[in-house]
């Protein structure tokens, strides 16, 4: 029972964390930039935000973004962070699918518990890997962006990426280390004994 609860906790935290990584990847409010104080920048309409896909200017009643489409002139750290966040987003697809197939309420035919255990371990590895990709990108980006321009604060996209990566790292570790062994995945299975005198006699295996 404890292993089942931990397995569900790992799945939920990994799924929520992956959604956070998707939000961070698709939005551009990673860092807030300003050459002066925030009050001065707002008066001069020079308060900006920088992300993976666009540079934006935030003014009163205006939010204008310039897409970063020319890959050849982009800084190397922007391209690397893009690749890491895209990799994290893509790795989440097979990881979540594998986690769905190993939930206690899902059974694929008469597969042994060891098969579900192997899929669970593979999903845990993928979740930890995507969490590390997101962590590297969300730490690398603001450090390198600060060398180019003055950063006043971090944006909500960066916080979302940090939270999502942390949840995925926690969920992956729970799945890998705390969700039971191969035998526990095969427990609580019930079948009907063909050799019994009563056709409705139920027999339990691996209690």
């Amino acid at each position: 029972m404890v292993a089942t609860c931990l397995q569900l906790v790992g799945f939920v935290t990994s799924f929520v964390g992956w959604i956070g990584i998707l939000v961070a990847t698709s939005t551009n409010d990673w860092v807030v930039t300003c050459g002066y104080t925030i009050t001065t920048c707002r008066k001069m309409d020079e308060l900006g935000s920088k992300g993976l896909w666009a540079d934006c200017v935030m003014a009163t009643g205006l939010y204008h973004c310039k897409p970063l489409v020319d890959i050849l002139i982009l800084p190397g750290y922007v391209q690397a962070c893009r690749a890491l966040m895209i990799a994290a987003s893509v790795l989440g697809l097979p990881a979540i699918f594998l986690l769905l197939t190993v939930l206690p309420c899902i059974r694929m035919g008469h597969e042994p518990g060891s098969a579900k255990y192997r899929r669970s371990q593979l999903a845990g590895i993928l979740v930890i890997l995507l969490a590390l990709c997101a962590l590297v990108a969300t730490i690398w980006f603001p450090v390198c962006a600060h060398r180019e321009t003055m950063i006043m604060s971090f944006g909500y996209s960066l916080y979302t990426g940090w939270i999502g990566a942390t949840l995925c790292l926690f969920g992956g570790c729970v799945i890998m280390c705390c969700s039971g062994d191969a035998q526990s995945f095969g427990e609580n299975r019930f079948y009907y004994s063909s050799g019994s005198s009563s056709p409705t006699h139920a027999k339990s295996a691996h209690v």
Side-chain angles (χ1 to χ4, degrees):
M1 185 64 181
V2 175
T4 301
C5 293
L6 289 174
Q7 187 180 358
L8 291 175
V9 169
F11 169 74
V12 172
T13 54
S14 298
F15 181 74
V16 174
W18 179 57
I19 295 299
I21 290 174
L22 290 177
V23 172
T25 304
S26 59
T27 53
N28 291 306
D29 194 12
W30 279 49
V31 292
V32 178
T33 59
C34 179
Y36 311 98
T37 63
I38 293 183
T39 303
T40 304
C41 288
R42 285 177 177 172
K43 290 180 179 179
M44 300 175 62
D45 290 339
E46 292 186 6
L47 188 64
S49 65
K50 186 178 182 66
L52 297 177
W53 312 102
D55 288 339
C56 302
V57 175
M58 295 178 289
T60 304
L62 175 66
Y63 190 81
H64 176 70
C65 293
K66 178 183 177 182
L68 303 175
V69 295
D70 196 344
I71 300 179
L72 296 178
I73 63 175
L74 281 179
Y77 75 91
V78 176
Q79 300 185 39
C81 290
R82 279 184 180 182
L84 287 170
M85 294 301 290
I86 291 174
S89 301
V90 172
L91 285 174
L93 292 173
I96 297 302
F97 175 76
L98 289 174
L99 288 177
L100 282 173
T101 62
V102 300
L103 289 177
C105 57
I106 303 296
R107 181 178 297 177
M108 302 175 66
H110 299 283
E111 64 176 356
S114 58
K116 294 186 74 172
Y117 175 75
R118 287 193 296 268
R119 289 205 306 273
S120 175
Q121 294 297 294
L122 177 59
I125 293 173
L126 290 177
V127 171
I128 292 175
L129 184 60
L130 73 89
L132 293 177
C133 289
L135 276 177
V136 171
T138 52
I139 294 174
W140 190 4
F141 187 91
V143 171
C144 293
H146 182 66
R147 298 174 181 175
E148 290 186 343
T149 183
M150 181 63 67
I151 295 178
M152 297 301 297
S153 63
F154 300 135
Y156 78 90
S157 301
L158 203 61
Y159 288 116
T160 304
W162 283 337
I163 294 172
T166 303
L167 288 176
C168 284
L169 189 61
F170 173 77
C173 291
V174 170
I175 293 167
M176 287 284 294
C177 305
C178 306
S179 59
D181 53 12
Q183 183 179 1
S184 65
F185 277 83
E187 290 179 351
N188 299 324
R189 294 189 172 192
F190 296 91
Y191 61 90
Y192 288 96
S193 176
S194 58
S196 62
S197 58
S198 174
T200 60
H201 174 69
K203 187 176 180 182
S204 174
H206 304 299
V207 175

